[in-house]
Amino acid sequence: MRHGSIEKRNPDPLYAEQVRLLYENAPLAYTVTLINGAILGYIQLAFIPIAVVLAWYGCLLFVTAFRVLVTWRYGRVKRSADEARFWNIVYSIGAAVAGIVWGAAGWVLFPLDSIAHQVFVAFVLAGMAAGGVSVLAPRMEACLAFLLPALLPLAIQYLTLRTPLQTAMGVMTLIFLAAMSFSAWNFHRVIRTSLHLRFDKQELEAEVTRRQRAEERLFQEKDRLQTTVSSIGEGVALIDADGRIEYINPAAEQLFGQRCEHVLHRPPNEMFECFDDQGERIATALEDSLHSATPQRKQYVLYGKDKAKYVVEELATPLLDRLGKLVGAVSVFRDVTEAQKFTEQLIHAADHDVLTGLPNRNLLTDRTKQAIARAHRKHESFALLFVDLDQFKAVNDTMGHACGDALLIDVAKRLTDCVRAEDMVARLGGDEFVVLLDGPTHRRHVEAVANKILHTLREPFQLGAGSATISGSVGCSLYPHDGRDVDSLLGRADAAMYRAKQMGRNQKA
Ligand SMILES: Nc1nc2c(ncn2[C@@H]2O[C@H](COP(=O)(O)OP(=O)(O)OP(=O)(O)O)[C@@H](O)[C@H]2O)c(=O)[nH]1
């Protein structure tokens, strides 16, 4: 039963509470003691000398005063449970001495020549014993310390008188003493049980309060977490140990174009179709993280409900419980479409001309190197055509820089239209362009392309309200005939272009 376990677990509070009850009942007991003692003494004056009565009552007063002092002190000091034993011993000593004084009444206030007064003494002592049981029952030692010395002398007194009535009275006093002791024990057990119940209740209430507070804290934390997760810009998704979605936050709803309630308990790959750079369908990092029980980071493409293409970066972490068991995984998704575009733009800008969008010298150099390597490997050729506009400055000067820009953009388009997809048109700067004719190339073919270029450049350019007509000079170089590296090939093409200019422009060399 719980009571025993509580006493074993935490005995001192129970003991201290029993002692506290003793002291709590004490003022009433002292008052009754003094009143009953006074009445007894007064009644017995008829047969007992006043000096004896006063001496007895004086003893009673003295003992009671001592007990009042102890009780007062007990009420004043700050008691710890450890000190309960001391206060119990002091109280029990007081009860024992009081019992002795009351027991003495069974001898010194017991008139041999008045049966009625003898019975009165017995009546008062029985009353005091019964009252003592109710007051002292919280501690049995205090109870017996009072009962035994209070009643035994009276019983002995009766038994020594040897008349049938007095012998019967003596025997009955002993029986009364035994009955009182038994009642005291029962009463003591009732008090202990009720104290146990009270402690149980307090402990349960404290436990309930503790749990309520813990629950409250958990709710608050959950609310805070929920609010945080709901309000952050990154998408958050949670899957359980079976790989089924438990939660996605509003940002993830927006990213995937799915409402949380529609994706609940479904595997992520059913909901979000992720593709790698090659357009192959791949698993989310969330699923990989659950399967590998390790954090995973991935970047992939997915298509929203609006069919728009998103580039998503996902960081997934497996979730373990307190025992280290895998219970799911959580992912944070970031829409990096814009960042990706920006990066691509940066990369593009590093290799391309801002005005025309054509590859710049960097990219031309790279592609030419690749062409050299391939042609070298396959014993093939390729060509570079250096194109410079003739008198382009005049367009700027007469029509304005903006028209010059527009013309350059148009030139870029026309040059691109002159060549195959595998060829490359690059702008080196100003009005200088280079065409890389990739793949096996014969001089005949180069000349044909050069003529095509000269022809297309001579077509009038529509620039805003007006138009302009210009021409170009083209210099060609062939790998490996004119050089085996980028610089020599470009240098030869440039020199050839310069020769064409010197020959009167609008021609190839
Ligand atoms: N509109 C415009 N003009 C440019 C740009 N870059 C260079 N230019 C101009 O292009 C002209 C290039 O002139 P040049 O190639 O030196 O000479 P040209 O007038 O073409 O004469 P030749 O080459 O000798 O036939 C210069 O006036 C530059 O200021 C540009 O991005 N936009």
Side-chain angles (χ1 to χ4, degrees):
M1 174 75 186
R2 303 174 56 91
H3 305 155
S5 67
I6 282 185
E7 189 164 29
K8 255 186 216 160
R9 202 167 55 236
N10 199 1
D12 285 337
L14 180 75
Y15 186 94
E17 185 57 17
Q18 288 172 321
V19 175
R20 195 193 65 77
L21 283 176
L22 283 181
Y23 279 94
E24 187 182 81
N25 296 334
L28 175 68
Y30 302 156
T31 310
V32 171
T33 289
L34 292 180
I35 293 171
N36 282 359
I39 294 170
L40 178 65
Y42 176 75
I43 295 298
Q44 301 307 87
L45 275 177
F47 291 94
I48 305 295
I50 187 164
V52 175
V53 171
L54 285 178
W56 177 82
Y57 196 70
C59 288
L60 193 64
L61 268 179
F62 181 74
V63 171
T64 307
F66 165 75
R67 296 181 74 194
V68 166
L69 207 64
V70 169
T71 304
W72 172 80
R73 188 75 195 132
Y74 175 85
R76 292 293 298 265
V77 293
K78 213 174 170 201
R79 304 170 304 274
S80 69
D82 296 341
E83 289 167 2
R85 271 172 214 289
F86 166 77
W87 290 106
N88 182 37
I89 290 168
V90 174
Y91 190 93
S92 298
I93 290 171
V97 177
I100 290 168
V101 174
W102 278 107
W107 280 82
V108 297
L109 301 184
F110 192 86
L112 294 174
D113 26 10
S114 169
I115 296 288
H117 284 79
Q118 289 174 7
V119 171
F120 185 63
V121 170
F123 173 78
V124 172
L125 288 183
M128 287 307 295
V133 165
S134 66
V135 170
L136 303 169
R139 291 301 311 170
M140 268 315 280
E141 59 273 17
C143 204
L144 292 176
F146 178 76
L147 280 183
L148 292 174
L151 289 180
L152 269 180
L154 179 71
I156 294 166
Q157 172 78 291
Y158 269 131
L159 290 174
T160 52
L161 293 177
R162 296 184 182 279
T163 66
L165 174 68
Q166 287 161 327
T167 303
M169 286 291 283
V171 170
M172 283 177 69
T173 304
L174 287 177
I175 292 171
F176 181 74
L177 174 60
M180 280 296 103
S181 301
F182 184 68
S183 297
W185 172 241
N186 277 337
F187 195 17
H188 171 73
R189 280 178 40 202
V190 169
I191 290 171
R192 262 177 51 144
T193 304
S194 83
L195 286 179
H196 277 307
L197 287 173
R198 199 210 299 172
F199 278 110
D200 270 4
K201 189 168 164 256
Q202 281 172 355
E203 200 164 292
L204 278 175
E205 281 170 354
E207 181 64 23
V208 168
T209 310
R210 259 198 308 276
R211 285 183 186 215
Q212 276 172 344
R213 285 199 188 127
E215 206 173 314
E216 186 68 23
R217 270 200 305 277
L218 268 180
F219 271 124
Q220 281 173 359
E221 266 172 38
K222 199 179 155 204
D223 274 358
R224 259 204 303 271
L225 205 66
Q226 186 98 30
T227 312
T228 310
V229 169
S230 300
S231 58
I232 57 174
E234 269 88 7
V236 175
L238 207 75
I239 54 171
D240 61 18
D242 297 326
R244 297 185 180 274
I245 293 170
E246 273 189 340
Y247 170 75
I248 64 171
N249 74 343
E253 285 181 340
Q254 185 139 12
L255 193 62
F256 299 121
Q258 304 269 8
R259 303 271 308 152
C260 183
E261 55 268 30
H262 297 146
V263 300
L264 278 185
H265 312 306
R266 304 182 65 175
N269 65 2
E270 257 184 41
M271 294 290 92
F272 329 126
E273 296 188 346
C274 312
F275 301 92
D276 64 11
D277 294 343
Q278 273 71 49
E280 293 291 323
R281 185 94 189 263
I282 54 168
T284 57
L286 200 55
E287 291 156 302
D288 287 354
S289 176
L290 185 69
H291 293 138
S292 64
T294 55
Q296 299 284 331
R297 183 190 284 271
K298 266 189 179 181
Q299 184 166 311
Y300 47 75
V301 169
L302 58 82
Y303 295 89
K305 242 191 177 156
D306 50 356
K307 302 289 175 221
K309 178 180 162 184
Y310 292 100
V311 182
V312 173
E313 187 184 72
E314 183 191 355
L315 176 64
T317 311
L319 291 173
L320 307 176
D321 68 9
R322 279 187 297 173
L323 303 173
K325 194 177 146 219
L326 190 67
V327 291
V330 62
S331 257
V332 177
F333 302 86
R334 216 148 53 87
D335 179 358
V336 293
T337 314
E338 289 307 315
Q340 179 84 356
K341 268 191 203 155
F342 186 62
T343 309
E344 280 167 8
Q345 277 167 7
L346 283 182
I347 293 169
H348 188 269
D351 287 342
H352 289 77
D353 169 45
V354 182
L355 179 67
T356 60
L358 288 178
N360 61 12
R361 186 184 287 269
N362 283 343
L363 197 49
L364 174 73
T365 307
D366 280 354
R367 276 290 301 276
T368 309
K369 281 180 183 167
Q370 286 171 21
I372 292 171
R374 204 201 56 249
H376 175 72
R377 213 172 43 249
K378 297 188 173 177
H379 305 289
E380 290 173 356
S381 61
F382 72 92
L384 287 184
L385 276 65
F386 205 113
V387 183
D388 189 287
L389 303 184
D390 298 331
Q391 312 292 354
F392 174 63
K393 186 170 176 303
V395 177
N396 272 340
D397 292 347
T398 56
M399 305 186 73
H401 206 267
C403 283
D405 280 355
L407 188 140
L408 288 172
I409 292 166
D410 207 353
V411 167
K413 200 169 160 308
R414 290 187 190 185
L415 292 180
T416 307
D417 290 345
C418 285
V419 297
R420 300 163 302 183
E422 60 266 34
D423 299 327
M424 174 188 262
V425 178
R427 183 181 176 218
L428 296 193
D431 59 353
E432 293 177 347
F433 297 85
V434 173
V435 177
L436 165 68
L437 297 180
D438 210 355
T441 314
H442 298 288
R443 197 166 284 278
R444 243 187 1 266
H445 172 61
V446 177
E447 283 176 6
V449 174
N451 284 333
K452 201 172 168 188
I453 290 172
L454 292 175
H455 177 75
T456 193
L457 290 179
R458 274 199 303 273
E459 295 290 321
F461 289 87
Q462 202 59 46
L463 303 171
S467 69
T469 307
I470 57 157
S471 61
S473 298
V474 180
C476 311
S477 67
L478 263 168
Y479 175 89
H481 181 264
D482 296 316
R484 291 178 173 272
D485 59 65
V486 180
D487 288 343
S488 355
L489 284 167
L490 261 179
R492 292 297 289 271
D494 188 16
M497 183 275 295
Y498 190 66
R499 279 201 306 279
K501 289 252 185 212
Q502 283 181 331
M503 288 188 294
R505 297 188 168 83
N506 186 27
Q507 53 194 292
K508 61 181 188 299

